[in-house]
Amino acid sequence: MKQTLYKNTKIAYSETGKGTTVVLLHGFLENSTMWNAHVEELAKRNRVVCIDLLGHGQTDCLGYVHSMEDQADMIHHVLHELKIRKAVLVGHSMGGYIALAFAELYPEMMKGLVLLNSTSRADSDERKANRDRAVLAVKQNYTAFIRMSIANLFSENNRELLNDDIELVRKEALKTPLQGIVAALEGMKVRNDREVILHFATYPILLILGKQDPVLNYKENITQIENTKVELVTFDDGHMSYIENREELTKVLQYFLKKT
């Protein structure tokens, strides 16, 4: 991993390959290692940049709240350092919220957008209350919170089938500092609704959803792309398509990148 400083905060990232730049953004409790199974294939034709988001992986915390805009500005800093003018952003879950914030702040840098198990919509009141409960839960019992959170991201069928993978995800999640977890929860809770981007963006957008996603209701989420040009790819599993549908996801991303 390479390092840069953003607002006196250490940021970790990697870059591999040449071609169209694709920026891979991980989700909550994840880090850039989540993309390991996909980078090699994607880097055969593209310049792949993976970034540890604020308070995750090898990137330090910036404050008590990591807003989606803070995260987007940090990504802009990394891309500026790499002299990248345009990129396709791929965001898993929270990474998708951040990719949308980046698209709003820096539309001229967007070559394409992939929302993976993510949504353009802001948190509902119920989701906001759940974020507050999660902050209390992680402060009370950090390990128990992470163990439960990770298992609940997979479709029920896969919780036993992918037990080894789930343990690896838990191990990586346990490297996330308490401050990073709380700051991300607070940032997601106050994020803006950005559905308008799906309607008016001039670049291609792909939405990838899992039919049995325990976190994002599939039927609700497809309504956000009605009357848009956004392409939809549906998998039969849960919130963790990069594991549950590993090979298919790589192919879908390769196909999308060829079109951008």
Side-chain angles (χ1 to χ4, degrees):
M1 296 288 277
K2 298 177 180 179
Q3 289 184 4
T4 182
L5 277 181
Y6 167 72
K7 294 186 176 178
N8 293 320
T9 301
K10 183 184 78 178
I11 310 297
Y13 67 93
S14 65
E15 60 165 333
T16 322
K18 291 180 180 176
T20 296
T21 299
V22 53
V23 181
L24 301 179
L25 303 174
H26 64 79
F28 175 59
L29 295 179
E30 297 166 342
N31 58 57
S32 56
T33 62
M34 69 160 273
W35 301 109
N36 285 354
H38 306 278
V39 169
E40 189 179 345
E41 282 301 312
L42 295 179
K44 287 178 180 176
R45 292 183 176 217
N46 304 281
R47 184 182 184 184
V48 182
V49 177
C50 296
I51 304 173
D52 279 345
L53 298 168
L54 295 171
H56 288 69
Q58 296 175 44
T59 290
D60 291 340
C61 294
L62 185 63
Y64 181 72
V65 178
H66 291 154
S67 72
M68 303 303 101
E69 293 81 3
D70 288 333
Q71 301 270 21
D73 284 337
M74 178 273 286
I75 291 158
H76 180 262
H77 168 84
V78 173
L79 298 187
H80 181 73
E81 188 152 294
L82 293 173
K83 297 181 169 57
I84 292 167
R85 291 183 179 178
K86 271 187 178 285
V88 176
L89 268 62
V90 180
H92 178 242
S93 197
M94 180 181 78
Y97 311 154
I98 293 163
L100 284 159
F102 185 93
E104 183 177 88
L105 291 167
Y106 306 103
E108 73 287 352
M109 294 183 71
M110 296 296 295
K111 196 171 170 64
L113 172 65
V114 180
L115 300 177
L116 173 61
N117 312 118
S118 193
T119 178
S120 63
R121 291 173 174 163
D123 273 359
S124 63
D125 288 341
E126 184 186 352
R127 293 273 287 173
K128 286 177 180 175
N130 287 342
R131 303 268 189 219
D132 289 334
R133 279 193 283 274
V135 169
L136 291 174
V138 74
K139 285 179 178 177
Q140 284 169 356
N141 193 327
Y142 171 90
T143 307
F145 171 80
I146 286 178
R147 292 194 72 79
M148 190 186 295
S149 297
I150 299 303
N152 289 342
L153 298 173
F154 291 80
S155 67
E156 280 188 41
N157 304 341
N158 284 332
R159 286 173 199 174
E160 280 186 36
L161 280 173
L162 298 173
N163 193 47
D164 290 348
D165 289 285
I166 291 171
E167 273 309 310
L168 283 173
V169 175
R170 279 189 182 127
K171 272 187 185 173
E172 289 302 321
L174 285 163
K175 295 177 185 176
T176 316
L178 177 62
Q179 186 187 349
I181 294 172
V182 171
L185 286 165
E186 295 289 355
M188 288 189 286
K189 184 178 77 176
V190 298
R191 75 181 189 280
N192 294 331
D193 189 297
R194 294 189 166 93
E195 192 173 337
V196 66
I197 291 172
L198 305 187
H199 289 264
F200 295 106
T202 54
Y203 43 83
I205 301 177
L206 173 62
L207 177 64
I208 304 173
L209 297 174
K211 267 198 176 163
Q212 298 178 65
D213 190 327
V215 182
L216 295 171
N217 181 282
Y218 176 76
K219 286 184 179 175
E220 261 178 44
N221 265 293
I222 54 175
T223 62
Q224 70 187 303
I225 60 167
E226 286 172 3
N227 305 313
T228 72
K229 292 179 181 176
V230 176
E231 194 178 341
L232 174 68
V233 169
T234 299
F235 293 131
D236 286 331
D237 298 287
H239 192 69
M240 305 295 263
S241 296
Y242 71 96
I243 293 172
E244 295 176 275
N245 311 98
R246 192 172 279 140
E247 289 173 16
E248 304 100 302
L249 176 62
T250 300
K251 286 175 186 169
V252 166
L253 292 176
Q254 284 172 317
Y255 178 70
F256 181 77
L257 288 165
K258 274 183 194 172
K259 295 194 301 181
T260 57

